[in-house]
Amino acid sequence: MRFAPTSASAREAHAAGELAAWSQEYLRGDGGNLGVARPLSERDDDVYVLAEVRLDDINAISGPDEQYDWPIDPAQFEQKVTAMMRALMDGWDPAPLFVHEPTLRLVDGNHRREALLRTGRSVYWAVMWRRRPPANGRGQ
């Protein structure tokens, strides 16, 4: 199955029970993030959910400042965010953000989040995952 790199496609994949496959295809595609894709593909006990999240509640880990875990050159960051803002105003449907559910760490989509915030969005789609808890009783 082929997926488009859009939030609409992610919602369709989620409804079909294919969100993990959608996530791998997106993260391994053009401009993807193998650093996120690889560890997710190595486990089969993750639970994936697609949900709308408040952008202010997400913990960005990459950005144009040394305070981030993965700093980005400010000029490059600004250039990419500005291009995304133009695309959003032209109707672009960006892929969901990737957020580790228990920690709310934004592991993919830092530029998208910033562009969404700057164009007035306060909520957007996120692929969230967490480890399936071990079976611990009857009915599991």
Side-chain angles (χ1 to χ4, degrees):
M1 180 180 251
R2 297 289 302 168
F3 302 106
T6 65
S7 67
S9 177
R11 290 191 303 275
E12 291 169 6
H14 186 252
E18 296 291 331
L19 188 58
W22 182 94
S23 298
Q24 283 298 313
E25 186 170 324
Y26 175 77
L27 291 168
R28 291 172 183 278
D30 292 338
N33 190 332
L34 292 177
V36 175
R38 283 187 188 122
L40 288 177
S41 71
E42 294 170 357
R43 300 193 58 118
D44 62 358
D45 61 343
D46 287 331
V47 176
Y48 288 79
V49 175
L50 183 68
E52 286 188 295
V53 297
R54 289 180 32 86
L55 296 174
D56 286 339
D57 290 342
I58 298 169
N59 301 309
I61 62 172
S62 183
D65 191 315
E66 291 300 317
Q67 74 179 357
Y68 291 100
D69 294 341
W70 286 274
I72 300 170
D73 174 71
Q76 290 176 341
F77 185 82
E78 193 62 34
Q79 181 180 24
K80 192 166 186 178
V81 169
T82 299
M84 288 181 173
M85 290 171 60
R86 281 193 292 270
L88 282 164
M89 290 184 273
D90 288 340
W92 176 46
D93 177 25
L97 309 172
F98 282 78
V99 177
H100 184 240
E101 194 270 319
T103 62
L104 296 180
R105 286 175 57 93
L106 176 59
V107 299
D108 184 82
N110 290 281
H111 294 94
R112 293 191 305 279
R113 175 185 175 268
E114 185 65 24
L116 289 160
L117 283 168
R118 290 186 192 181
T119 56
R121 301 287 296 266
S122 60
V123 175
Y124 198 68
W125 293 101
V127 174
M128 302 175 75
W129 76 96
R130 69 175 0 215
R131 295 299 179 302
R132 184 182 318 277
N136 62 0
R138 286 189 342 195
Q140 291 188 332

Coordinates of all heavy atoms in Angstrom, one line a residue, residues 77-92 94 111-121:
F77 N 16.9 27.1 9.7 CA 15.6 26.9 10.3 C 14.6 27.9 9.8 O 13.5 27.5 9.4 CB 15.8 27.0 11.9 CG 14.5 26.6 12.6 CD1 14.2 25.3 12.9 CD2 13.7 27.6 13.1 CE1 13.1 25.0 13.6 CE2 12.5 27.3 13.8 CZ 12.2 26.0 14.0
E78 N 15.0 29.1 9.8 CA 14.1 30.2 9.4 C 13.7 30.0 7.9 O 12.5 30.2 7.5 CB 14.7 31.6 9.6 CG 13.7 32.7 9.5 CD 12.6 32.7 10.5 OE1 12.8 32.2 11.6 OE2 11.5 33.1 10.1
Q79 N 14.6 29.6 7.1 CA 14.3 29.5 5.6 C 13.3 28.3 5.4 O 12.4 28.5 4.7 CB 15.6 29.1 4.9 CG 15.5 28.9 3.4 CD 16.8 28.6 2.7 OE1 17.7 28.1 3.4 NE2 16.9 28.9 1.5
K80 N 13.5 27.2 6.1 CA 12.6 26.1 6.0 C 11.2 26.4 6.5 O 10.2 26.1 5.9 CB 13.2 24.9 6.7 CG 12.5 23.6 6.3 CD 13.3 22.4 6.7 CE 12.6 21.1 6.2 NZ 13.4 19.9 6.5
V81 N 11.2 27.1 7.7 CA 9.9 27.4 8.3 C 9.1 28.4 7.4 O 7.9 28.3 7.2 CB 10.1 28.0 9.7 CG1 8.8 28.6 10.2 CG2 10.5 26.9 10.7
T82 N 9.8 29.4 6.9 CA 9.2 30.4 6.0 C 8.6 29.7 4.7 O 7.5 30.0 4.3 CB 10.2 31.5 5.6 OG1 10.6 32.1 6.8 CG2 9.6 32.5 4.7
A83 N 9.3 28.8 4.1 CA 8.8 28.0 3.0 C 7.6 27.2 3.3 O 6.6 27.2 2.6 CB 9.9 27.1 2.4
M84 N 7.6 26.6 4.5 CA 6.4 25.8 5.0 C 5.2 26.7 5.2 O 4.1 26.4 4.9 CB 6.8 25.0 6.2 CG 7.7 23.9 5.9 SD 8.0 22.9 7.5 CE 8.9 21.6 6.8
M85 N 5.5 27.9 5.8 CA 4.4 28.9 6.0 C 3.7 29.2 4.7 O 2.5 29.3 4.6 CB 4.9 30.1 6.7 CG 5.3 29.9 8.1 SD 6.1 31.3 8.9 CE 4.9 32.5 8.8
R86 N 4.5 29.5 3.7 CA 4.0 29.8 2.3 C 3.1 28.6 1.8 O 2.0 28.8 1.3 CB 5.1 30.2 1.3 CG 5.6 31.6 1.5 CD 6.4 32.0 0.3 NE 7.7 31.3 0.3 CZ 8.8 31.7 0.8 NH1 8.8 32.8 1.5 NH2 9.9 31.0 0.7
A87 N 3.7 27.4 2.0 CA 3.0 26.3 1.5 C 1.6 26.1 2.2 O 0.6 25.7 1.6 CB 3.9 25.0 1.6
L88 N 1.7 26.3 3.5 CA 0.4 26.2 4.3 C -0.6 27.2 3.8 O -1.8 26.8 3.7 CB 0.7 26.5 5.8 CG 1.3 25.3 6.6 CD1 1.9 25.8 7.9 CD2 0.3 24.2 6.8
M89 N -0.2 28.4 3.5 CA -1.1 29.4 3.0 C -1.7 29.1 1.6 O -2.7 29.5 1.2 CB -0.5 30.8 3.1 CG -0.3 31.3 4.5 SD 0.4 32.9 4.6 CE 2.1 32.6 4.6
D90 N -0.9 28.2 0.9 CA -1.3 27.8 -0.4 C -2.1 26.5 -0.4 O -2.4 25.9 -1.4 CB -0.1 27.6 -1.3 CG 0.5 28.9 -1.8 OD1 -0.2 30.0 -1.7 OD2 1.7 28.9 -2.2
G91 N -2.4 26.0 0.8 CA -3.3 24.8 1.0 C -2.6 23.5 1.3 O -3.2 22.4 1.3
W92 N -1.3 23.5 1.5 CA -0.5 22.3 1.9 C -1.1 21.6 3.1 O -1.5 22.3 4.1 CB 0.9 22.7 2.1 CG 1.8 21.6 2.6 CD1 1.9 20.3 2.0 CD2 2.8 21.7 3.6 NE1 2.9 19.6 2.7 CE2 3.5 20.4 3.7 CE3 3.2 22.7 4.5 CZ2 4.5 20.1 4.6 CZ3 4.2 22.4 5.4 CH2 4.8 21.2 5.4
P94 N 0.2 19.3 5.6 CA 1.5 18.6 6.1 C 1.2 17.3 6.8 O 0.1 17.1 7.4 CB 2.1 19.6 7.0 CG 1.1 20.7 7.3 CD 0.0 20.5 6.3
H111 N 10.1 21.8 12.4 CA 9.8 22.9 11.4 C 8.3 23.0 11.1 O 7.8 24.1 11.1 CB 10.5 22.6 10.1 CG 12.0 22.7 10.2 ND1 12.8 21.5 10.4 CD2 12.9 23.7 10.1 CE1 14.0 21.8 10.4 NE2 14.2 23.1 10.3
R112 N 7.6 21.9 11.0 CA 6.2 21.9 10.7 C 5.5 22.6 11.8 O 4.6 23.4 11.7 CB 5.6 20.5 10.4 CG 6.2 19.9 9.1 CD 5.4 18.6 8.7 NE 5.4 17.6 9.7 CZ 6.3 16.7 9.9 NH1 7.5 16.8 9.3 NH2 6.2 15.7 10.8
R113 N 5.8 22.2 13.1 CA 5.2 22.8 14.2 C 5.3 24.3 14.3 O 4.4 25.0 14.5 CB 5.7 22.2 15.5 CG 5.2 22.8 16.8 CD 5.9 22.2 18.0 NE 5.5 22.9 19.2 CZ 6.1 23.9 19.8 NH1 7.2 24.5 19.2 NH2 5.6 24.5 20.9
E114 N 6.5 24.7 14.0 CA 6.8 26.2 14.1 C 6.0 26.9 13.0 O 5.4 28.0 13.2 CB 8.3 26.5 13.9 CG 8.6 27.9 14.1 CD 8.4 28.5 15.5 OE1 8.3 27.7 16.5 OE2 8.2 29.7 15.6
A115 N 6.0 26.3 11.8 CA 5.2 27.0 10.7 C 3.7 27.0 11.0 O 3.0 28.0 10.8 CB 5.5 26.2 9.4
L116 N 3.2 25.9 11.6 CA 1.8 25.9 12.0 C 1.5 26.9 13.0 O 0.5 27.7 12.9 CB 1.4 24.5 12.5 CG 1.4 23.4 11.5 CD1 1.5 22.0 12.1 CD2 0.1 23.5 10.7
L117 N 2.3 27.1 14.0 CA 2.1 28.1 15.1 C 2.2 29.5 14.5 O 1.3 30.3 14.8 CB 3.2 28.0 16.1 CG 3.1 26.8 17.1 CD1 4.4 26.6 17.9 CD2 1.9 27.1 18.1
R118 N 3.1 29.7 13.6 CA 3.2 31.1 13.0 C 2.1 31.4 12.1 O 1.8 32.6 11.8 CB 4.6 31.2 12.3 CG 5.8 31.3 13.2 CD 7.0 31.5 12.4 NE 8.2 31.3 13.1 CZ 9.4 31.5 12.7 NH1 9.6 32.0 11.4 NH2 10.5 31.3 13.4
T119 N 1.4 30.4 11.6 CA 0.2 30.7 10.7 C -1.1 30.6 11.5 O -2.1 30.6 10.9 CB 0.2 29.8 9.5 OG1 0.2 28.4 9.9 CG2 1.4 30.0 8.5
G120 N -1.0 30.6 12.8 CA -2.2 30.8 13.6 C -2.8 29.5 14.1 O -3.8 29.5 14.8
R121 N -2.2 28.3 13.8 CA -2.8 27.1 14.3 C -2.3 26.8 15.7 O -1.2 27.1 16.1 CB -2.3 25.9 13.4 CG -2.6 26.0 12.0 CD -4.1 25.7 11.7 NE -4.5 24.4 11.9 CZ -4.6 23.4 11.1 NH1 -4.2 23.6 9.8 NH2 -5.0 22.3 11.4

